Every structure is written in C-alpha cells, then in structure tokens.
Amino acid sequence: MLIGFLPLLLLFLDPPEGMDPKAWGLFPFYAGAILMVMLRPVGEATALAIFLGLYAVIMRGHTVALSGFALTMTWLVVGAYIIAQAFRDTNLGKRISFWMIRIFGRSTLGLGYAAAFADFIIAPVTPSNAARTGGIIYPIFLSVAESLGSYPDKNPRGFGAYISVLLYVVTMCTGITFLTGYAANTVAWALADQMLGLHITWLQWTTAFILPAGIVLLIAPYVMYLIYRPTLTKIDNVRIAREGLAAIGPMSSKEKILLCLFVLAIIGWATSSYTKINSTAVVLGFIAVCLMTNVLKWKDIAKNSQVWTTLMWYGGILGLAGAMNQFGFFKSCKSSKDHSKPRNEVDTS
C-alpha cells in the first residue's frame, strides 16, 4: 500500500512554471488515488476515501474533495445500480431471459442468441457487467446447461463451454452500447464534458455505438458456435422456459410496474434533447416511483454495498478530476508540451 503514497512526495517540490499552485497541490493526491486503484492494495472506494480525506486535511480542500458528489454523472450511475437491484429483486431480469429462451432457444445456437438478446435488453439499466451478465443472465443459462447434462467436469462441450465463452463477448458488447450499460462509460462521459467541453447525451452515445455493437451482437453467437461448437444441437426450449417461469411464478404487480418504468426510462433518455429532462433526472424519477410503489424498499437499497461503493468511487474520482480541470492542470500540461516542441526557423533574409 505504501507505494500508493509516493506521489505525495511531489508536495515538497515547487510547481512547474506557469502552473497554478492549487493544481499542483491537488495533483499528488489525484496521482496517488489512481496509482492505488491500479495496484489494488485496497478497493477503489477505500482508495478514494483515503486520498479525499488526506487532501481535505493537508490542503484544507474539503470543498474540492466533496465536489464530485454533487455531479449529475455520479448520481446517474448510482441510480442505475439501484435500478439494476430492482430487476434482480423482482425477478424481471430472469423472466426476460426465459422469454428469450422460449422465443429463440430451439437449438444451442438459438440459446446463444437468447442469452445475447436478454443481456442487451436489460443493459440500459444495469451499469455493471458483473451484476448484469454475471448476476442475472449467466446463472440462468448455466442452470440450462446443467439441465442438459453439461457440467464443467462432465460434458463441458455439450453447451456450458459455448455459452460461457459467448457471454464474455456479449457483456463487453452490451456494456459499451449504452451510456448507462457500464459504469466506466460515465467516467469517460464526465471527463469529456469537463476537459473537452463535449456535451454528449444518452441518445448520442447510444447512436454512436449501436451499429458496431449491434453487428457484433448479431454475429458473435454464430462465430462462437463455429469456434466452440457444442455437441448438443436440438433443445426443448418450451419445456425449459415453462419450468423456469413456473419456478418464478406469475408476473407480479411489481414486475409490471418495473417493466412500464423501464420502457418510460428508455423513452425519457432517448427524448431528453427535446424534453430537456436530463438522464439523471430520469433515473431519480424512476427510483422515486419504485419507492412510492414498493417495487423497492429503502432498507434493501441501504444493504446494497455496491451502490455506496460506487458513490464513493465515482464521486471521488470525478471530483478530483473536475477540480484539476478547474484549476487548469491539463491546460498547463498541454501548454508546457507545446512550448517544448522545437520550432522550425525560417530564413527571412
């Protein structure tokens, strides 16, 4: 862990020429946080909490240290994690997966497309590959594989190996497609806004990625099928879907409310440039209705450590990065780099 504190030694050096002392005073804490996140002696949230606290005390910068928690980007991703919890707790994510199995799963290739499409459908409101694919989609298709007699130590090439390899490709694809599909997307979005002045809407992000991601999503199941062809071909998808849906039970009122809110959220994000209701407002409104209708209960949200870990991590890193941009650190670095370039001398005689 000690190596993560090495950047703090820069505090004993004078700032480079032309750089705001405030920017130079913040940089060691930012660099230390990034270094500790990379080396991972502790979790991301712990690393940010340490360096935010140190900066607040040493540099008396409590305002800067807390600025990231007021950003709409931070609350967008935190809110999306809460919505993902609703999909998991109400079993709507599982139900969508079994619907896809019933529609597409007549063969192992069809099951591959069912998994891909199910992951794609819930991606806009699940900003975590681990929570979405690892927590909802993969367990369902793993149980399908086991029902077909495909286990890691017994007949893995029956179906289990194929779906495992495929879902790794799928989750990378679906995560990048939507701004709210992967938490790191919002970091890139926030930094582009703060450092480059690029104001990207949810619809613009999705429009940019939907075509290449859609192509990958359409061909990945078939390509993985050719590379890692399962020995099973025909599947009794109707039975699997029927048994899976029976285990979940009839669709509850909470699921129906959540499904309606999900559709409204997609519409809200897609039309934000016209309605002037930004993406974060849509998420917060979604959560408010979930709480009002008991789709979610606050005590359950309070127990979700992933939500609060995300809040600390994103609020911290975006606050530090935003403050460095505000103090002109990145402009100073660019200016110094430009001045260091050799200029071609022109003979004007």
Side-chain angles (χ1 to χ4, degrees):
M1 180 186 289
L2 292 178
I3 194 171
F5 296 103
L6 288 179
L8 296 182
L9 296 176
L10 295 174
L11 291 172
F12 298 99
L13 301 179
D14 293 330
E17 184 178 353
M19 181 173 290
D20 188 333
K22 291 182 179 179
W24 182 247
L26 177 59
F27 174 67
F29 298 92
Y30 178 76
I34 295 297
L35 183 60
M36 194 169 286
V37 167
M38 292 173 60
L39 297 177
R40 297 186 64 82
V42 293
E44 291 92 342
T46 304
L48 266 298
I50 290 172
F51 281 96
L52 287 177
L54 290 176
Y55 180 76
V57 172
I58 296 174
M59 307 302 292
R60 298 179 179 86
H62 61 279
T63 303
V64 171
L66 298 176
S67 62
F69 299 97
L71 295 174
T72 58
M73 296 84 163
T74 301
W75 290 100
L76 173 64
V77 69
V78 169
Y81 269 100
I82 295 175
I83 295 173
Q85 179 180 345
F87 269 74
R88 185 183 66 247
D89 291 353
T90 63
N91 285 324
L92 181 58
K94 288 184 178 181
R95 191 176 300 278
I96 291 173
S97 297
F98 285 117
W99 286 344
M100 293 298 102
I101 290 173
R102 184 166 58 188
I103 296 171
F104 298 103
R106 294 183 181 88
S107 64
T108 46
L109 178 59
L111 282 176
Y113 277 103
F117 293 155
D119 200 286
F120 179 81
I121 289 172
I122 66 174
V125 290
T126 45
S128 167
N129 293 342
R132 179 180 66 257
T133 310
I136 298 176
I137 305 299
Y138 183 69
I140 291 173
F141 285 87
L142 181 62
S143 66
V144 170
E146 292 177 349
S147 71
L148 297 173
S150 180
Y151 298 88
D153 58 344
K154 178 185 176 183
N155 193 26
R157 291 297 293 266
F159 174 69
Y162 163 66
I163 200 65
S164 297
V165 174
L166 172 61
L167 280 175
Y168 176 79
V169 176
V170 167
T171 192
M172 296 296 110
C173 177
T174 56
I176 197 65
T177 305
F178 304 99
L179 178 61
T180 47
Y182 183 48
N185 295 347
T186 55
V187 174
W189 176 47
L191 296 181
D193 183 24
Q194 294 174 351
M195 299 179 188
L196 304 176
L198 297 176
H199 306 293
I200 304 171
T201 66
W202 188 93
L203 182 60
Q204 287 173 328
W205 180 288
T206 300
T207 302
F209 284 103
I210 192 69
L211 181 58
I215 292 173
V216 173
L217 199 67
L218 287 173
I219 66 174
Y222 183 67
V223 172
M224 292 299 104
Y225 186 84
L226 295 178
I227 296 174
Y228 229 76
R229 184 185 294 271
T231 56
L232 296 175
T233 53
K234 298 297 181 181
I235 305 296
D236 187 359
N237 61 306
V238 176
R239 177 187 61 79
I240 293 173
R242 183 176 62 248
E243 291 177 354
L245 291 171
I248 297 174
M251 194 171 188
S252 65
S253 59
K254 291 183 179 181
E255 288 180 85
K256 294 175 182 178
I257 294 171
L258 183 59
L259 184 59
C260 292
L261 291 175
F262 172 59
V263 174
L264 291 174
I266 298 297
I267 295 173
W269 286 327
T271 60
S272 60
S273 59
Y274 303 101
T275 62
K276 307 305 178 184
I277 302 175
N278 65 40
S279 301
T280 305
V282 172
V283 169
L284 294 178
F286 192 125
I287 295 170
V289 177
C290 283
L291 291 171
M292 291 166 58
T293 56
N294 281 326
V295 171
L296 280 174
K297 294 183 178 180
W298 181 253
K299 65 179 182 179
D300 296 326
I301 297 175
K303 295 177 183 177
N304 189 346
S305 61
Q306 194 174 37
V307 170
W308 308 114
T309 296
T310 302
L311 176 62
M312 176 57 70
W313 153 236
Y314 275 81
I317 198 66
L318 293 181
L320 291 175
M324 289 182 66
N325 182 59
Q326 179 183 344
F327 294 152
F329 179 85
F330 301 107
K331 291 181 180 179
S332 299
C333 291
K334 184 178 184 300
S335 176
S336 300
K337 182 179 180 180
D338 291 340
H339 287 310
S340 66
K341 292 181 179 178
R343 298 181 180 273
N344 295 328
E345 296 183 0
V346 180
D347 186 359
T348 60
S349 55

